Amino acid sequence: KNALGQTTPAFGTAYFENLISVKSNEAEFDPEPLVDNLKLTVATIIVSERTYYLTKDLNDNKRPSAGDEVRYNIKYFNPSSFNFENARIIINYEQTFIHITGVNSGGVDNGDSIVWDLGTVTIGQPSYENPACLGFSFIVLSNPGTPIFNTFTAMSGARILETNNDSLSVQ
């Protein structure tokens, strides 16, 4: 099941040289070129793709239900022309409805959130063609019809790059 959410991108500022020519029908001089810096605001985000998938389906119904094991998989890449210093991915999860069975790629679980310290995510790395992958596995504890929610946040320093509220429907 693909995770659904709402993205709040962070923005950065970049300056580009903008060549402007000024002409006047009233003036008696040749066109005069002016060089002016053009300020553009561009999105600066680490792009993520998050999915849930069953790894152990006890009742073989191909849907998450109590007792099943699920993996929450996160793939990310940096398509921007910016380095992200002190980058982190944080998952806040509902500990009442899941039991964490494993966290990979150096993530640390403190009982209600999992944090991956990524260090510096450099320009174009990881790439779109070969995204980095991390995640965690859990046993479903919730009752049928009770969705499992978690909040995904990607940060650089104290800046939020992306945040999403993801949910998994339980049968």
Side-chain angles (χ1 to χ4, degrees):
K1 175 185 180 302
N2 287 331
L4 299 175
Q6 188 173 15
T7 301
T8 307
F11 293 90
T13 301
Y15 292 89
F16 297 91
E17 192 174 276
N18 186 22
L19 181 61
I20 302 170
S21 285
V22 178
K23 289 197 244 182
S24 170
N25 291 332
E26 314 238 341
E28 294 183 7
F29 60 87
D30 291 329
E32 182 177 333
L34 301 172
V35 176
D36 187 21
N37 284 329
L38 175 65
K39 179 181 174 182
L40 299 176
T41 302
V42 294
T44 57
I45 61 172
I46 295 173
V47 176
S48 67
E49 176 187 298
R50 297 162 323 280
T51 55
Y52 292 98
Y53 62 91
L54 282 170
T55 56
K56 203 178 287 182
D57 188 1
L58 296 179
N59 59 6
D60 203 29
N61 67 353
K62 311 242 184 302
R63 297 183 217 160
S65 50
D68 289 348
E69 188 170 43
V70 175
R71 169 128 174 116
Y72 181 73
N73 206 43
I74 303 162
K75 291 182 180 180
Y76 69 92
F77 58 96
N78 180 4
S80 76
S81 55
F82 296 92
N83 289 327
F84 297 102
E85 305 288 331
N86 301 313
R88 290 184 316 267
I89 290 180
I90 303 165
I91 302 297
N92 290 310
Y93 63 87
E94 293 185 83
Q95 59 274 19
T96 311
F97 298 125
I98 66 174
H99 171 72
I100 304 293
T101 57
V103 178
N104 73 336
S105 302
V108 177
D109 180 10
N110 68 11
D112 65 357
S113 65
I114 301 170
V115 177
W116 288 269
D117 286 313
L118 307 176
T120 299
V121 179
T122 58
I123 296 169
Q125 296 300 315
S127 68
Y128 170 76
E129 295 82 15
N130 192 21
C133 187
L134 48 88
F136 64 97
S137 298
F138 60 91
I139 302 290
V140 175
L141 302 177
S142 65
N143 296 321
T146 306
I148 296 170
F149 294 99
N150 71 51
T151 303
F152 167 89
T153 305
M155 299 184 74
S156 177
R159 228 171 32 126
I160 295 175
L161 303 173
E162 180 182 359
T163 185
N164 284 284
N165 295 313
D166 297 332
S167 67
L168 175 68
S169 296
V170 176
Q171 303 298 310

